[in-house]
Amino acid sequence: MAKLNFQQTCISLPNGAQGVLAQAPHLTRAHVSIAIAAGYLDEPRTLPGLAHLLEHVLTTAPLDTSSNTSLLTWFAQHQGSLNAHTDDYVTDVHFSIPAETLEAAALTVASQLVRPAFSPSVICAEVAAIDAEWQARQHSSAMQRLSAIATLSDPQHIGAGCRHGNAQTLGSDTTLLLEALTAFHRDHYHGGRVSIAMISPWTTETMTRLIKRMATLFSPPTPSALSLAITPRWSHLPHAKIARTGNAVELLWPLPSAIARHQLIALSGLADSVQQGYLVEQLPDSITDYRATLAPSGATDAFSLTLSGTATQEQVKALAAALSERLAAFFATLLGTAPNDHDIVWQPPADTLQLAPAWFTHARRQALARRFATPPSEHQPAASLFAASNARWLLDNASPSPSSPAFDAFDRQPAAYPTVQRWCGQYGVSDDFAALATTAWAACFVPGAVIVPSPLTAQRLARQAIVFKQENSPHGSWVIAMGSQANQAMVALLEDAVLAASKAQEGLLAQQLIQRLTPLPATPVVWVSHNTGAAAVCHALANLASRVAIRAEQPPPASLPTSTAIMRTLSLPGTPSQRLLLALAEQHHSAAFFQQARYDHHLGYVAAVRRGDGAPCSLGYVVQASHAGKISKDAGLAGGKPVEEKRIAEKLRSITDTLWKTSDSVLQAQLPTLTPPETPLAALVLQWQSLLAGTHQPLHRLGQQRIDSQALTNLLTQINTLGHWQTHWLDSAGHYAVNR
């Protein structure tokens, strides 16, 4: 299947602001990013986390037009979503909104970025929020990676320290922080650093006018404005070691401090070509997967190649030299064909589901390009980009030998073949994307285990023009292949694959709890578009799923500080009306729950409302708090928990009970916009997830049916009659409990 592509238009304004836009007529929502060329590495040395704090304050401070409304609450009230991200050299605020509300949303966000209200109370609250985030993430592999990257920096460079920020680095002097935020905002949030990126169903001319209105709100840079140039930070150390979960090595090739735009375009094309299997033949058998990234988070002035598998430090050194040579040769070829103009086609990666995340990444890269195009005051000639001597790497301290398995494999002695449930046909996906009417696909699911394909499967399939997607959780694993000969490709994939024992998911505990919201089948499942070859797919899946589990439980590290996630869930049988009701509640409750859980009751860092769609359908209200007590395995579910956990659970009950007492008229006015999938792959995945969850129709295809007042009253009554409430606990030691 041909990749999606969108023609870009770039614009520049007299105040220095820049814009990039793309029209996508099939969208119902617009995706917009306002990126500022300022990040962690632009902060004062004495205030690590200041750029991060400013990002938080911008999104939670009250708007000029309303003392009780922040950007976050404004978007929740208008059926949109907004978030922000601070990286090394770029901070962006990005949002998605129904297309009919785009103009109001865009001008509201731009106005807030230009004239934020720096309230002392908001600053204090956000310092506490950043500290809670730090506590929740400080032992994660992502934070360990940032610390390891810092060790590769010149000790005199600001990047030689982790700049996430916490209560200790930011301090408690609100007056000092207010002055520092004001100065940082004045020096960096002006037109000379602003890049606006927009993709929507609007015409190019209409989007151009809107971007110009947004951009002209920003003042032009002053004659004494700080330079955009990037100061080289990479020291001469060839590598660093990092201890983290999993087996991987990340190779980094630092970028020169000044790069032309067409060179960055060529580097982006290089990353895409590598993703499509370019390096398959160059890697040893011990490498099972890889991912190439231009300007990865935390090392945005580098080209990254992350290799999954096993390798010693000596092997990595040799591999870095060999890969440097291959990448240098291919980059030289791409550099000769890269366009020099700004009006180029944007192609999201082949495995993109929704366009928003890919577009926001693209927008950050546009803002970063401005900084690379600005030469430093003291231009220093850089070594060849992909010279072997230029490569750095992050190596897992605990990497096993190449002969040891990277997972807990299942026994290969066959048991009785399990029954495989099978669906065959389109199930209406061609209504979402007509191109799917002539496309083949195959999808497979195994409960309670992880499907481990043979090494470099995604890249090998990409070379056959087949898109591969996989999703794993502690509760099951699925794979999907889309493209010509998908059934044959799936049979080959399953025959070469093995099963691995499910492990606890990495990431925040709250995210692990949220995964429990969606029901999954208890038996293996196949969904194919065509009957030809379907029996072979079912046989291959049954053969794979017949392995008998052999698994040694590994106790979690005892040294981690205790953190606890608590979630209160509401489950309903899952009729179409009930599914719509929970979608409505998720939209309507999110901002209010966030405000009450995070700020009114100080329940922790994470405060979110999430929905699990299916039959049954569920809604979860989750928080994560640090330093709460550990759940005792011997404690009764109704009691025996520490006082702090009981307090949080009681507050959750109180907040959610209050939210569900909202009047019918308020809910009626907030009917959700059911967003259709934005890519063919997303259409397949949404239908696949619906089948797995016990329904045949994804929520967006239930129709924009209105829920009249009486029907809504009846539905709300079902909350007390058919609704099933539960409270879930999960702590950092892996203890899980659930009760009503």
Side-chain angles (χ1 to χ4, degrees):
M1 169 178 286
K3 291 180 63 175
L4 291 174
N5 60 80
F6 305 94
Q7 185 69 36
Q8 280 188 175
T9 299
C10 296
I11 55 178
S12 298
L13 282 90
N15 67 349
Q18 295 183 357
V20 59
L21 58 94
Q23 185 187 24
H26 74 286
L27 295 184
T28 61
R29 297 171 77 81
H31 307 305
V32 182
S33 169
I34 303 179
I36 309 294
Y40 290 124
L41 302 187
D42 297 296
E43 299 168 340
R45 285 184 175 275
T46 56
L47 283 175
L50 184 69
H52 192 188
L53 176 61
L54 179 55
E55 170 223 306
H56 274 240
V57 170
L58 289 170
T59 56
T60 58
L63 301 176
D64 259 352
T65 54
S66 173
S67 60
N68 298 318
T69 305
S70 67
L71 282 180
L72 290 173
T73 53
W74 191 95
F75 274 82
Q77 293 165 2
H78 292 81
Q79 300 186 28
S81 61
L82 175 139
N83 211 332
H85 178 82
T86 304
D87 217 322
D88 290 341
Y89 299 103
V90 173
T91 298
D92 71 298
V93 177
H94 50 263
F95 61 88
S96 298
I97 195 77
E100 59 270 20
T101 319
L102 171 57
E103 181 175 4
L107 295 175
T108 297
V109 176
S111 298
Q112 176 71 344
L113 297 191
V114 172
R115 292 181 299 276
F118 291 135
S119 159
S121 61
V122 171
I123 293 172
C124 289
E126 291 310 321
V127 169
I130 286 175
D131 189 66
E133 179 180 346
W134 166 259
Q135 297 295 341
R137 295 182 183 273
Q138 64 175 318
H139 294 281
S140 68
S141 60
M143 291 300 290
Q144 291 173 347
R145 171 182 172 273
L146 289 179
S147 296
I149 288 174
T151 68
L152 292 174
S153 301
D154 187 310
Q156 304 305 313
H157 192 273
I158 193 172
C162 187
R163 308 291 299 182
H164 178 282
N166 53 53
Q168 183 175 356
T169 66
L170 291 168
S172 57
D173 189 334
T174 306
T175 302
L176 172 64
L177 285 176
L178 178 58
E179 293 174 354
L181 286 171
T182 302
F184 192 83
H185 181 270
R186 180 194 63 235
D187 292 342
H188 296 90
Y189 280 63
H190 54 72
R193 289 176 177 261
V194 172
S195 299
I196 301 172
M198 180 182 299
I199 185 169
S200 83
W202 285 17
T203 65
T204 298
E205 293 76 14
T206 307
M207 282 190 283
T208 298
R209 286 195 297 269
L210 178 56
I211 286 179
K212 288 181 177 179
R213 288 183 63 191
M214 295 166 64
T216 52
L217 294 175
F218 292 87
S219 60
T222 63
S224 60
L226 298 172
S227 171
L228 284 169
I230 293 173
T231 303
R233 66 167 168 179
W234 300 93
S235 73
H236 297 294
L237 294 174
H239 65 271
K241 289 187 176 181
I242 174 173
R244 57 180 169 140
T245 304
N247 304 305
V249 57
E250 183 175 7
L251 299 173
L252 295 163
W253 286 270
L255 302 179
S257 54
I259 302 177
R261 185 182 183 88
H262 74 280
Q263 291 176 307
L264 276 177
I265 293 172
L267 282 169
S268 180
L270 175 62
D272 185 63
S273 296
V274 170
Q275 292 297 102
Q276 298 304 303
Y278 172 70
L279 291 179
V280 164
E281 278 77 24
Q282 280 69 49
L283 297 174
D285 293 339
S286 60
I287 301 302
T288 59
D289 195 11
Y290 68 75
R291 177 164 290 274
T293 311
L294 171 61
S297 181
T300 52
D301 49 353
F303 186 95
S304 167
L305 185 62
T306 302
L307 307 174
S308 300
T310 56
T312 65
Q313 187 167 323
E314 292 73 21
Q315 289 172 320
V316 170
K317 186 175 182 179
L319 191 56
L323 292 177
S324 294
E325 183 178 350
R326 294 288 300 175
L327 292 172
F330 194 41
F331 177 58
T333 301
L334 291 175
L335 197 57
T337 59
N340 286 291
D341 58 13
H342 286 193
D343 296 333
I344 59 174
V345 170
W346 175 63
Q347 288 190 318
D351 61 353
T352 297
L353 291 178
Q354 299 294 43
L355 290 180
W359 181 252
F360 298 148
T361 298
H362 179 61
R364 282 193 288 273
R365 195 165 294 163
Q366 297 294 309
L368 192 63
R370 301 186 67 177
R371 307 202 65 164
F372 279 122
T374 307
S377 55
E378 297 180 6
H379 185 70
Q380 299 176 348
S384 174
L385 175 58
F386 289 106
S389 59
N390 198 31
R392 276 80 165 163
W393 59 82
L394 305 177
L395 185 65
D396 193 328
N397 271 340
S399 292
S401 66
S403 60
S404 63
F407 51 84
D408 297 327
F410 278 15
D411 186 278
R412 296 195 66 85
Q413 295 178 354
Y417 276 15
T419 301
V420 175
Q421 186 176 0
R422 183 175 83 180
W423 294 293
C424 181
Q426 295 251 338
Y427 286 89
V429 293
S430 58
D431 294 337
D432 297 324
F433 275 90
L436 290 172
T438 57
T439 302
W441 63 83
C444 295
F445 168 80
V446 174
V450 175
I451 300 172
V452 181
S454 61
L456 307 176
T457 290
Q459 293 81 8
R460 296 183 194 280
L461 289 177
R463 299 184 72 175
Q464 302 172 38
I466 292 178
V467 177
F468 172 77
K469 194 77 173 178
Q470 179 168 9
E471 184 173 298
N472 300 325
S473 80
H475 317 295
S477 174
W478 60 256
V479 292
I480 189 167
M482 179 177 68
S484 179
Q485 309 299 313
N487 283 359
Q488 294 90 321
M490 182 62 74
V491 170
L493 185 158
L494 296 174
E495 288 178 343
D496 290 340
V498 296
L499 289 185
S502 297
K503 296 181 179 179
Q505 179 197 12
E506 289 187 23
L508 295 176
L509 299 174
Q511 295 167 345
Q512 297 176 40
L513 274 184
I514 288 170
Q515 282 199 328
R516 298 177 181 270
L517 289 173
T518 302
L520 291 171
T523 59
V525 177
V526 165
W527 178 36
V528 292
S529 56
H530 298 83
N531 260 320
T532 304
V537 176
C538 290
H539 179 79
L541 181 62
N543 184 37
L544 178 64
S546 65
R547 313 303 188 215
V548 179
I550 296 179
R551 180 181 181 186
E553 293 289 344
Q554 297 294 327
S559 60
L560 291 182
T562 300
S563 181
T564 302
I566 302 177
M567 178 172 67
R568 191 171 190 227
T569 59
L570 167 66
S571 296
L572 288 167
T575 65
S577 295
Q578 291 167 353
R579 294 167 64 196
L580 284 170
L581 174 66
L582 293 193
L584 163 62
E586 179 187 38
Q587 176 70 45
H588 183 66
H589 292 174
S590 289
F593 180 76
F594 181 88
Q595 173 65 39
Q596 294 181 49
R598 280 280 289 276
Y599 299 117
D600 297 350
H601 299 292
H602 308 287
L603 297 187
Y605 163 58
V606 178
V609 183
R610 293 292 185 269
R611 175 172 45 89
D613 190 44
C617 55
S618 298
L619 196 65
Y621 305 80
V622 62
V623 298
Q624 181 170 329
S626 298
H627 307 304
K630 181 177 69 175
I631 301 171
S632 170
K633 287 187 175 181
D634 299 325
L637 291 180
K641 296 182 180 62
V643 173
E644 180 65 11
E645 286 183 0
K646 288 183 178 179
R647 182 187 74 84
I648 294 175
E650 289 168 359
K651 286 294 184 183
L652 275 180
R653 177 185 290 271
S654 172
I655 294 171
T656 53
D657 286 349
T658 301
L659 288 174
W660 277 102
K661 291 176 182 175
T662 306
S663 67
D664 296 4
S665 59
V666 174
L667 285 172
Q668 181 71 32
Q670 294 287 329
L671 281 173
T673 300
L674 303 179
T675 306
E678 298 181 344
T679 66
L681 181 58
L684 287 184
V685 170
L686 286 173
Q687 178 62 57
W688 174 229
Q689 290 172 331
S690 287
L691 292 172
L692 292 176
T695 68
H696 284 78
Q697 285 280 2
L699 187 62
H700 72 274
R701 269 197 264 129
L702 292 179
Q704 298 285 357
Q705 59 191 71
R706 299 287 298 178
I707 305 178
D708 60 41
S709 181
Q710 184 58 50
L712 186 59
T713 300
N714 294 340
L715 281 172
L716 292 173
T717 302
Q718 294 177 9
I719 300 302
N720 297 322
T721 56
L722 299 176
H724 180 62
W725 287 96
Q726 287 184 316
T727 303
H728 308 249
W729 291 265
L730 179 66
D731 71 11
S732 52
H735 302 128
Y736 171 73
V738 59
N739 71 357
R740 292 203 66 172

